[in-house]
């Protein structure tokens, strides 16, 4: 073995694991230029200068060349340069991602040059699976989110910020509650009835996107098709979200940055209940509708007093919502970072704090974030790094949760005062109307507290074996700890006892250990370019839990220990599970003449959750692209700037098993106790069948894309057509009941999604002072279940949803409402459901034409809970030191089912809504609500009557900012600063009344609405 071979072997022995991906540049956009020249009193052949971007930040490594010569230089870490040139020379200044500029020296010795970002730049780098690629060279469907979309928005989670940003990526934020302002992400439709969440990769390893401070994010990519996501194999069926956090830059001087905002929040929607006068009037009418011979509860004089407020102590008009909840709440977010780098080492460290108050005094949330990354090039063949993060979130609320409190509010009559006896009005003697008084519970019912803590560390080392070959190893440890605690106080008021004290303490621990080895090989020769990736990954997951609870006894002043409660009532349990996955994968990329692009991926995974002989699966993908605009026949035209067509095919997996379906290593038994004679015996029995052929579902995806831009990239679009087919979705096929055990899950179901994604952009620099960019995206998906193997029927988790072949996942199933019974003749002759219908009740369509309304023959799919269409429109305008941006986001062709207190009159003895005034009466047949009742539930059957169009368009964000001048910042000792005001969810256009369109699609109004936010913010760098 030669000395050189010995040295290579020595370096290989140092490889811990894995790949070198190269450096990634975040390229901005805009064209235009600005040159600022300092007046000097004398000409000189030596020229010095400073180059910055439009915000005043120094640009490191910009190129300056004397036109017509080989004389050139680059800017240093302060953006400064020095070059020798004649007084009449011209300088060409360029930097990747910015528009090049040519200027005349004109005898000057000091020049300041401001480069403007190039909107027309297409070759930005995009993070993909285990690497980065030029955007123009992608052969798969990948969308990206620029960090500027997050920087001035008062969002505490990344998932919530994705709404409307990328076509095919649906983000639904169902709650605005403190600590729960996250979005549920679905990429190109639902692939299974069992699981639909995408895989999230943070800095190369699986992570949690909602625990990251948005200010720490450098880039975010979404892999939407199998040709781009198959490299993640069995985890990638629902798409992949790749997040890269910020790092320092080598050679950059230390910079300290702060960003923060303070926000005021209010609900986006609330149910509109009637006042006491209308309540009493409708109460009387409903009483008589239930029983014409009944005695009404309120006289005309009572109703008059409720309306005019002449006797508030005896005839109150209580707005329980305003009495219970605050109209506004405060939020604040703060983030500080320091980053920089020397010749061989770069670093970034940050801390963050988020605090959110709720609309109840007891509700609040605090989160603390910390992150550190250090990367060092030890020598010319070894680089090492560390990326560590920690966060701790603490969520507080009363023992009665927000949903419970708003349920009490919705059920409380406005004719009942907050306080009890008339002569004690306002004294603190809370009223008791036979149900909990929500105002009495505030601050007196106890607490619930949830503490969630995450520690995540990533160690990596890279060995550069040859100029073209490197190996990188990564070891990651992620620990999630959750502690849920609660204590219920004993609360008695006005004779109402809300029950004994009780408490609980539950601990949950999740640990992930990930090991990766990745090798990369790059080679260019002539017009050919190759990139090879080979990798190994292994992940182990450990989960344990302990739960404990007691009830009775105790003291209201001792709430932090279960030991104060009755020991005889104690219950506890513990358990856990372990799973592991091992994977091998590879990728080959080939380019010829930067025009013809080919890529192939393959991954093989093994998972411990499946039987030993059936746990391996292989997931390949192939894709290709042709950049037509680089062909010779395109050179002489000036209209088409870029044109690429691409196509891809691939398979990904869906490890959709729930914890109770994980393949057991032993038979599944339950333990019981039975009496035989006079003795109690412990026994065991097998509880369910086991399927030793179980494996993951497979999603096969086809993708065809077209990318084009025109007029020097002034306008352009990207269109992708796709079809995804899920095979092997897990179902419980029926077994004979005589066998006495639950059916095992089997790979039997099929689902299909097909649709398109469209993104259109337009950028324009009007002048040196004014520029803008616009982006519109639109996506359509048609989802349907294509195979249920005889198991079509009700969703076991919610009877309003059915799983029916030929219809979407999340389909509402019920009767088709066609109006009311308006006349006695209709009531006698038309089909009815129960035979107890009365005038003003809902009529249903007789689908099977047998003159009867039956559950078996006359129910059908009446709607769906997932939108077919999603859209977004993003606009950004910059004028001198001012900038304005807004984001419109929407969803179309989606339904919501409204029931309970949010739909029915006097439900659970509760309130009535404004919509109930337009009820059916003998003189009002064209009503929006059936005859009003208090207890008759003949109209409450699941039907299209209670289904509402939940389509909406929302002004998701609008931000106005001002950048302080460089002269002022220099006096203040800073580099740049921006003040801004931002609004979130300010306007919503929807047909829903009192319900937020992003709220749970099946609800009774017991939810924390999304919130409007108005925030003031500051960003500053020193």
């Amino acid at each position: 073995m030669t000395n050189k071979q010995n040295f290579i072997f020595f370096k290989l022995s140092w490889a811990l694991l894995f790949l070198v991906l190269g450096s990634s540049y975040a390229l901005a956009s805009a064209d235009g230029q600005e040159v600022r020249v300092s007046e000097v009193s004398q000409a000189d052949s030596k020229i010095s200068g400073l180059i910055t971007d439009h915000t005043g930040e120094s640009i490191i490594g910009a190129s300056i060349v004397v036109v017509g010569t080989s004389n050139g230089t680059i800017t240093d870490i302060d953006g400064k340069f020095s070059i020798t040139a004649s007084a009449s020379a011209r300088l060409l200044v360029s930097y990747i991602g910015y528009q090049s500029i040519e200027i005349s020296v004109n005898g000057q010795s000091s020049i300041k040059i401001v480069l403007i970002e190039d909107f027309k730049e297409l070759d930005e780098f995009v993070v993909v699976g285990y690497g980065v690629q030029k955007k123009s060279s992608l052969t798969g469907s990948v969308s990206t989110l620029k960090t500027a979309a997050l920087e001035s928005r008062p969002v505490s989670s990344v998932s919530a910020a994705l709404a409307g940003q990328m076509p095919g990526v649906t983000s639904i934020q169902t709650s605005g509650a403190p600590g729960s302002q996250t979005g549920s992400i679905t990429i190109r439709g639902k692939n299974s009835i069992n699981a639909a969440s995408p895989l999230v990769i943070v800095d190369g390893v699986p992570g949690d996107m909602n625990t990251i401070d948005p200010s720490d994010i450098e880039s975010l990519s979404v892999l939407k098709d199998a040709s781009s996501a198959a490299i993640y194999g069995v985890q990638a069926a629902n798409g992949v979200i790749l997040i890269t956090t910020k790092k320092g830059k080598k050679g950059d001087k230390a910079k300290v940055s702060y960003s923060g905002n303070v926000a005021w929040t209010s609900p986006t929607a609330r149910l509109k209940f009637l006042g006491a006068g209308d309540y009493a009037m409708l109460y009387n009418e409903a009483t008589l509708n239930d029983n014409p011979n009944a005695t009404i509860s309120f006289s005309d004089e009572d109703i008059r007093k409720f309306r005019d407020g002449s006797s508030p102590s005896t005839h109150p008009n209580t707005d329980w919502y305003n009495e219970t909840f605050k109209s506004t709440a405060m939020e604040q977010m703060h983030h500080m970072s320091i980053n920089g780098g020397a010749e061989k080492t770069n670093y970034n460290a940050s801390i963050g704090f988020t605090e959110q108050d709720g609309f109840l005094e007891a509700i609040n949330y605090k989160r603390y974030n910390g992150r550190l990354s250090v990367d060092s090039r030890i020598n010319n063949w070894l680089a090492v790094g560390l990326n560590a993060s920690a966060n701790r979130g603490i969520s507080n609320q009363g023992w009665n949760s927000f949903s419970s409190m708003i349920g009490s509010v919705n059920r409380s009559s406005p004719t009942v005062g907050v306080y009890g006896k008339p002569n004690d009005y306002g004294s603190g003697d809370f009223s008791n109307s036979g149900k909990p008084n929500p105002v009495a519970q505030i601050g007196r019912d106890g607490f619930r507290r949830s503490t969630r803590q995450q520690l995540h560390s990533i160690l990596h080392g890279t060995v550069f074996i040859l100029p073209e070959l490197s190996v990188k190893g990564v070891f990651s440890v992620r620990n999630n700890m959750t502690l849920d605690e609660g204590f219920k106080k004993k609360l008695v008021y006005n004779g109402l006892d809300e029950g004994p004290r009780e408490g609980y303490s539950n601990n949950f621990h999740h640990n992930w250990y990930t090991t990766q080895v990745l090798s990369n090989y790059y080679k260019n020769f002539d017009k050919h370019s190759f990139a090879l990736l080979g990798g190994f990954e292994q992940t182990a997951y450990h989960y344990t839990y302990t739960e404990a609870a007691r009830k009775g006894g105790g003291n209201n002043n001792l709430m932090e220990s279960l030991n104060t409660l009755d020991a005889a009532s104690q219950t506890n349990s513990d358990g856990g599970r372990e799973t592991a996955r091992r994977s091998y994968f590879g990728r080959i990329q080939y380019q010829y003449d930067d025009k013809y692009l080919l890529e192939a991926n393959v991954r093989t995974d093994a998972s411990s959750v499946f039987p030993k002989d059936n746990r391996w699966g292989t997931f390949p993908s192939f894709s290709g692209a042709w950049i037509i605009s680089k062909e010779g026949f395109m050179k002489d035209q000036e209209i088409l700037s870029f044109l690429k067509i691409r196509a891809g095919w691939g398979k990904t997996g869906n490890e959709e098993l729930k914890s109770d379906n994980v393949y057991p290593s032993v038979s599944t038994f339950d333990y019981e106790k039975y009496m035989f004679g006079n003795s109690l015996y412990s026994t065991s029995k097998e509880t369910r069948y086991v399927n030793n052929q179980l494996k993951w579902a497979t999603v096969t995806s086809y993708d065809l894309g077209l990318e084009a831009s025109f007029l020097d990239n002034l306008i352009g679009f990207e269109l992708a057509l796709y079809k995804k087919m899920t095979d092997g979705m897990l179902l419980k096929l029926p077994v004979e009941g005589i066998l006495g055990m639950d059916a095992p899950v089997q790979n039997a179901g099929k689902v299909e999604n097909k649709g398109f994604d469209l993104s259109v952009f337009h950028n324009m620099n009007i002048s040196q002072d004014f520029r803008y960019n616009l982006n519109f995206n639109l996506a359509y998906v048609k989802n349907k279940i294509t195979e249920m193997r005889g198991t079509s029927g009700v969703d076991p988790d919610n009877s309003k949803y059915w799983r029916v072949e030929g219809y979407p996942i999340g389909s509402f199933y019920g009767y088709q409402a066609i109006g009311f019974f308006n006349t006695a003749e209709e009531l006698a002759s038309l089909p009815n459901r129960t035979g107890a219908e009365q005038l003003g009740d809902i009529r249903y369509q007789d689908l099977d034409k047998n003159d009867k309304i039956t559950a078996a023959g006359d129910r059908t799919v009446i709607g769906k809970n997932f939108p077919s269409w999603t859209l977004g429109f993003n606009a950004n305008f910059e004028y001198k030191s001012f900038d304005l941006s807004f984001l419109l986001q929407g969803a179309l062709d989606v339904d919501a089912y409204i029931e309970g207190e949010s739909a029915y009159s006097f439900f659970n003895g509760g309130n009535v809504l404004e919509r109930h005034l337009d009820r059916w009466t003998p003189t009002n047949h064209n009503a929006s609500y059936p005859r009003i009742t208090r207890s008759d539930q003949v109209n409450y059957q699941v039907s299209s009557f209670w289904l509402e169009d939940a389509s909406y368009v929302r002004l998701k964000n609008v931000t106005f900012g001002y950048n302080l001048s460089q002269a002022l910042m220099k006096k203040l000792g800073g580099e740049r600063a921006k003040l801004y005001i931002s609004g979130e969810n300010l306007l919503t256009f929807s047909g829903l009344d009192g319900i937020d369109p992003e709220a749970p699609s099946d609800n009774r109004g017991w939810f924390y609405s999304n919130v409007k936010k108005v925030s003031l913010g500051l960003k500053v760098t020193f």
Side-chain angles (χ1 to χ4, degrees):
M1 187 178 290
T2 66
N3 289 336
K4 182 176 181 180
Q5 289 172 328
N6 280 325
F7 186 55
I8 292 173
F9 179 81
F10 171 72
K11 291 194 290 184
L12 276 170
S13 68
W14 270 80
L16 297 171
L17 319 135
F18 173 15
L19 78 65
V20 164
L21 303 177
S23 47
S24 172
Y25 298 92
L27 303 181
S29 47
D31 63 15
Q33 59 192 28
E34 182 178 352
V35 180
R36 298 174 186 165
V37 181
S38 301
E39 302 265 343
V40 296
S41 58
Q42 60 182 10
D44 199 306
S45 60
K46 184 176 182 180
I47 303 163
S48 60
L50 172 67
I51 298 179
T52 69
D53 64 13
H54 75 287
T55 68
E57 183 171 359
S58 302
I59 295 179
I60 306 168
S63 172
I64 305 96
V65 177
V66 179
V67 176
T69 74
S70 60
N71 182 21
T73 186
I74 61 173
T75 54
D76 60 19
I77 62 173
D78 296 316
K80 297 179 180 179
F81 71 91
S82 179
I83 194 169
T84 301
S86 66
S88 60
R90 295 183 63 81
L91 304 181
L92 176 64
V93 183
S94 60
Y95 186 69
I96 188 170
Y98 292 80
Q99 184 178 6
S100 298
I101 181 174
E102 188 173 310
I103 64 171
S104 298
V105 173
N106 288 333
Q108 302 163 106
S109 62
S110 179
I111 301 176
K112 182 177 180 181
I113 302 170
V114 178
L115 294 183
I116 302 300
E117 296 165 327
D118 190 359
F119 279 129
K120 302 173 183 178
E121 179 62 65
L122 282 176
D123 269 350
E124 59 183 288
F125 283 84
V126 175
V127 177
V128 295
Y130 302 105
V132 293
Q133 288 181 241
K134 288 182 178 180
K135 187 178 187 302
S136 61
S137 299
L138 292 174
T139 57
S141 186
V142 181
S143 290
T144 61
L145 177 69
K146 295 183 181 297
T147 56
L150 302 174
E151 289 179 349
S152 298
R153 289 184 63 183
V155 289
S156 57
S157 71
V158 183
S159 58
L162 293 183
Q165 298 283 2
M166 293 174 279
V169 180
T170 303
S171 173
I172 300 174
Q173 183 180 331
T174 58
S175 174
S180 299
Q181 296 177 10
T182 59
S184 173
I185 307 296
T186 306
I187 299 172
R188 288 184 169 180
K190 298 179 180 180
N191 297 311
S192 171
I193 62 174
N194 301 303
S197 299
L199 171 67
V200 176
I201 300 294
V202 180
D203 290 326
V205 296
D208 184 352
M209 67 191 305
N210 288 319
T211 60
I212 303 174
D213 191 313
S215 297
D216 282 328
I217 293 178
E218 178 69 31
S219 67
L220 187 149
S221 301
V222 179
L223 312 183
K224 297 188 291 187
D225 68 336
S227 60
S228 60
I231 195 71
Y232 290 103
V234 73
Q235 306 170 80
N238 299 308
V240 183
I241 298 175
L242 305 176
I243 295 175
T244 302
T245 59
K246 292 179 179 178
K247 294 177 172 57
K249 297 179 181 179
K250 289 182 174 62
D252 201 354
K253 64 180 181 179
K255 294 180 181 179
V256 177
S257 298
Y258 165 80
S259 63
N261 65 74
V262 177
W264 293 262
T265 69
S266 60
T268 56
R270 56 165 287 192
L271 295 175
K272 300 173 183 177
F273 291 110
L274 292 173
D278 287 328
Y279 173 94
M281 180 265 294
L282 291 179
Y283 192 94
N284 287 345
E285 182 179 321
T287 299
L288 295 176
N289 282 342
D290 287 338
N291 179 6
N293 299 317
T295 302
I296 61 174
S297 300
F298 301 101
S299 67
D300 291 341
E301 179 66 10
D302 289 329
I303 295 174
R304 182 190 65 77
K305 289 182 178 180
F306 284 133
R307 292 190 192 280
D308 64 21
S310 58
S311 182
S313 61
T314 60
H315 291 74
N317 184 11
T318 305
D319 186 331
W320 284 98
Y321 190 96
N322 287 342
E323 293 285 350
T324 306
F325 301 113
K326 299 184 295 183
S327 59
T328 61
M330 296 286 293
E331 296 185 4
Q332 58 178 322
M333 295 177 61
H334 304 278
H335 181 270
M336 180 171 286
S337 67
I338 179 170
N339 62 76
E343 181 180 353
K344 294 185 176 181
T345 302
N346 58 279
Y347 59 89
N348 183 81
S350 67
I351 56 173
F353 172 68
T354 298
E355 182 177 33
Q356 298 172 336
D357 290 332
F359 300 133
L360 275 171
E361 292 294 342
I363 295 180
N364 61 75
Y365 172 74
K366 293 181 180 180
R367 187 182 71 194
Y368 306 85
N369 287 79
R371 184 171 293 274
L372 171 67
S373 70
V374 179
D375 295 279
S376 182
R377 184 69 177 258
I378 303 300
N379 51 42
N380 63 350
W381 61 270
L382 177 64
V384 297
L386 166 69
N387 195 330
S389 64
N391 67 80
R392 181 180 176 88
I394 305 170
S395 179
N396 292 289
Q397 59 180 325
W399 176 266
N400 291 282
S401 65
F402 184 90
S403 62
S404 175
M405 293 289 281
I406 201 166
S408 295
V409 166
N410 294 348
R411 292 197 304 267
S412 297
S413 166
T415 62
V416 176
V418 174
Y419 301 97
K421 301 173 185 177
N423 58 340
D424 290 333
Y425 182 77
S427 68
D429 184 13
F430 292 103
S431 67
N432 168 16
S433 60
K435 53 176 105 56
N437 182 324
V439 178
Q441 293 174 336
I442 298 174
R444 302 174 181 88
D445 58 346
F447 75 89
R448 295 182 191 267
R449 179 171 59 236
S450 181
T451 303
R452 287 172 168 79
Q453 180 174 288
Q454 182 181 99
L455 301 173
H456 194 184
S457 60
I458 306 170
L459 292 169
H460 59 87
T462 304
V463 176
F464 301 90
I465 300 168
L466 296 170
E468 303 89 358
L469 176 64
S470 62
V471 177
K472 182 178 180 180
V474 172
F475 181 68
S476 165
V477 179
R478 179 160 62 105
N479 168 262
N480 284 14
M481 182 279 290
T482 299
L483 173 61
D484 292 335
E485 304 167 282
F487 185 93
K488 177 188 175 185
K489 290 183 179 181
K490 187 172 182 61
L491 181 60
V492 179
Y493 52 91
N494 209 353
L496 180 68
D497 187 340
E498 293 200 2
R501 299 177 186 89
E502 57 183 287
Y504 64 88
S505 179
N506 303 327
N507 284 269
F508 308 90
H509 292 271
H510 306 259
N511 292 281
W512 292 265
Y513 306 92
T514 301
T515 301
Q516 295 176 348
V517 180
L518 288 155
S519 62
N520 273 274
Y521 179 80
Y522 301 92
K523 185 67 175 179
N524 298 312
F525 58 93
D526 296 330
K527 295 182 178 181
H528 303 275
S529 175
F530 289 93
L532 304 177
L533 164 70
F536 164 82
E537 182 175 88
Q538 182 164 298
T539 299
Y541 168 62
H542 299 256
Y543 165 63
T544 59
Y545 70 89
T546 303
E547 299 177 328
R550 286 187 180 184
K551 188 173 184 179
N555 187 298
N556 279 1
N557 296 318
L558 300 174
M559 298 189 297
E560 294 294 335
S561 174
L562 294 181
N563 290 334
T564 64
L565 300 174
D566 184 5
S569 69
Q570 179 170 299
T571 61
N572 57 71
S573 64
D574 66 359
R577 63 181 180 272
E578 296 182 3
T579 62
R581 185 186 301 110
R582 179 173 293 174
S583 309
Y584 301 91
F585 49 90
R587 175 171 61 216
I588 181 170
Q589 296 166 303
Y590 170 72
Q591 295 186 23
Y592 177 75
D593 201 19
D594 289 331
K595 294 184 294 188
Y596 311 110
L597 317 172
L598 295 173
E599 181 176 318
N601 294 270
V602 65
R603 181 170 178 133
T604 180
D605 290 292
S607 175
S608 66
V609 303
F610 295 110
K612 184 177 180 180
D613 296 331
N614 205 39
R615 61 180 43 157
W616 284 95
T618 301
F619 306 95
S621 73
F622 303 94
S623 57
W626 176 25
I627 303 179
I628 305 171
S629 54
K630 290 189 176 182
E631 294 290 354
F633 59 80
M634 299 291 290
K635 290 182 179 179
D636 295 331
Q637 57 83 37
E638 297 181 354
I639 296 177
L640 189 64
S641 309
F642 181 80
L643 179 63
K644 180 175 74 173
I645 187 171
R646 54 178 173 78
W649 169 92
K651 289 181 177 289
T652 51
N654 192 347
E655 191 182 67
E656 57 183 4
L657 287 174
K658 299 178 181 178
S659 60
D660 59 344
N661 289 329
V662 171
Y663 184 79
S665 58
V666 297
S667 298
T668 55
F669 290 91
D670 265 358
Y671 298 95
E672 304 282 353
K673 292 183 183 295
Y674 292 96
M675 291 292 296
F676 291 96
N678 295 322
S679 300
L680 183 67
Y681 294 88
S682 295
T683 65
S684 63
K685 66 175 182 179
E686 192 169 3
T687 57
R688 66 181 173 93
Y689 287 105
V690 170
N691 175 13
N692 62 5
Q693 298 300 312
L694 198 64
K695 61 182 180 180
W696 28 58
T698 300
V699 176
T700 303
S701 174
Y702 301 86
D703 190 90
L704 179 65
L706 179 66
E707 301 173 35
S709 61
F710 306 89
L711 303 176
D712 200 15
N713 300 313
L714 184 70
I715 189 171
F717 71 87
E718 181 175 349
L719 173 66
L721 309 176
Y722 64 87
K723 182 177 182 179
K724 297 191 299 180
M725 296 171 292
T726 300
D727 188 22
M729 180 177 66
L730 297 182
L731 299 175
K732 285 189 176 181
L733 301 186
V735 295
E736 293 293 336
I738 195 172
L739 298 176
M741 285 188 287
D742 290 340
V745 291
Q746 300 183 47
N747 298 102
K750 296 182 180 180
V751 175
E752 179 184 274
N753 287 282
K754 54 185 178 182
F756 70 84
D757 302 337
L758 174 65
S759 179
V760 181
F761 71 85
H762 167 53
N763 310 305
M764 174 67 79
N765 287 347
I766 302 298
S767 67
Q768 294 181 2
D769 293 329
F770 180 48
R771 56 182 180 159
Y772 66 86
N773 66 85
L774 310 174
N775 187 284
F776 172 74
N777 66 76
L778 179 69
Y780 170 77
V781 60
K782 182 178 181 180
N783 168 264
K784 67 177 179 179
I785 300 172
T786 57
E787 178 66 73
M788 286 293 291
R789 295 282 294 274
T791 64
S792 290
V794 63
D795 185 331
D797 297 324
N798 190 325
S799 61
K800 296 178 188 64
Y801 297 116
W802 275 44
R803 299 162 176 175
V804 184
E805 288 182 9
Y807 291 94
I809 296 171
S811 290
F812 293 104
Y813 196 82
Y815 298 101
Q816 192 69 251
I818 54 173
F820 304 115
F821 288 102
N822 291 319
T823 66
E825 181 182 0
E826 289 179 349
L827 193 60
S829 62
L830 296 177
N832 58 63
R833 189 180 64 84
T834 68
E837 283 82 1
Q838 299 182 34
L839 292 179
D841 285 336
I842 300 171
R843 284 178 53 209
Y844 303 116
Q845 184 75 49
D846 182 14
L847 296 178
D848 59 4
K849 307 298 182 183
N850 67 350
D851 292 327
K852 298 178 181 178
I853 303 299
T854 63
D858 297 306
R859 289 187 298 172
T860 185
V861 171
I862 55 176
K864 60 188 180 65
N865 70 352
F866 191 81
S868 299
W869 298 86
T870 55
L871 57 91
F873 178 68
N874 207 327
N876 296 276
F877 303 89
E878 296 182 17
Y879 178 72
K880 292 187 177 179
S881 298
F882 298 93
D883 58 69
L884 173 67
S885 65
F886 65 85
L887 170 65
L888 289 170
Q889 175 258 335
L892 307 174
D893 190 22
V894 58
D895 302 295
Y897 195 89
I898 312 302
E899 62 174 347
E901 292 85 351
S902 64
Y904 311 146
S905 63
F906 303 106
F907 187 75
N908 276 343
N911 217 324
V912 284
L913 299 161
E914 288 184 0
R915 67 173 295 190
H916 295 143
L917 287 174
D918 185 26
R919 74 281 185 200
W920 186 96
T921 66
T923 59
N924 183 25
H925 292 180
N926 190 29
S928 61
Y929 190 80
R931 68 184 178 94
I932 198 160
T933 62
R934 286 174 49 205
S935 58
D936 191 340
Q937 299 185 12
V938 70
N939 293 313
Y940 295 171
Q941 292 298 306
V942 178
S943 76
S944 61
F945 186 88
W946 307 109
L947 201 69
E948 306 225 5
D949 185 353
S951 302
Y952 72 95
V953 174
R954 167 169 277 167
L955 180 60
K956 198 68 177 176
N957 176 263
V958 59
T959 300
F960 178 72
Y962 173 72
N963 296 280
L964 275 65
S965 69
Q966 293 300 304
L968 177 58
M969 286 306 301
K970 187 174 181 179
K971 291 180 181 179
L972 297 175
E975 185 172 295
R976 57 176 175 168
K978 178 180 180 178
L979 298 169
Y980 65 89
I981 181 171
S982 182
E984 201 84 2
N985 298 328
L986 295 184
L987 295 173
T988 302
F989 305 94
S990 168
L992 294 177
D993 185 17
I995 302 290
D996 187 275
E998 292 186 77
S1001 56
D1002 169 23
N1003 74 80
R1004 55 192 290 183
W1006 290 30
F1007 59 89
Y1008 200 114
S1009 170
N1010 268 308
V1011 294
K1012 301 177 184 178
K1013 293 185 185 181
V1014 176
S1015 64
L1016 297 176
L1018 168 68
K1019 298 191 298 181
V1020 61
T1021 299
F1022 296 94

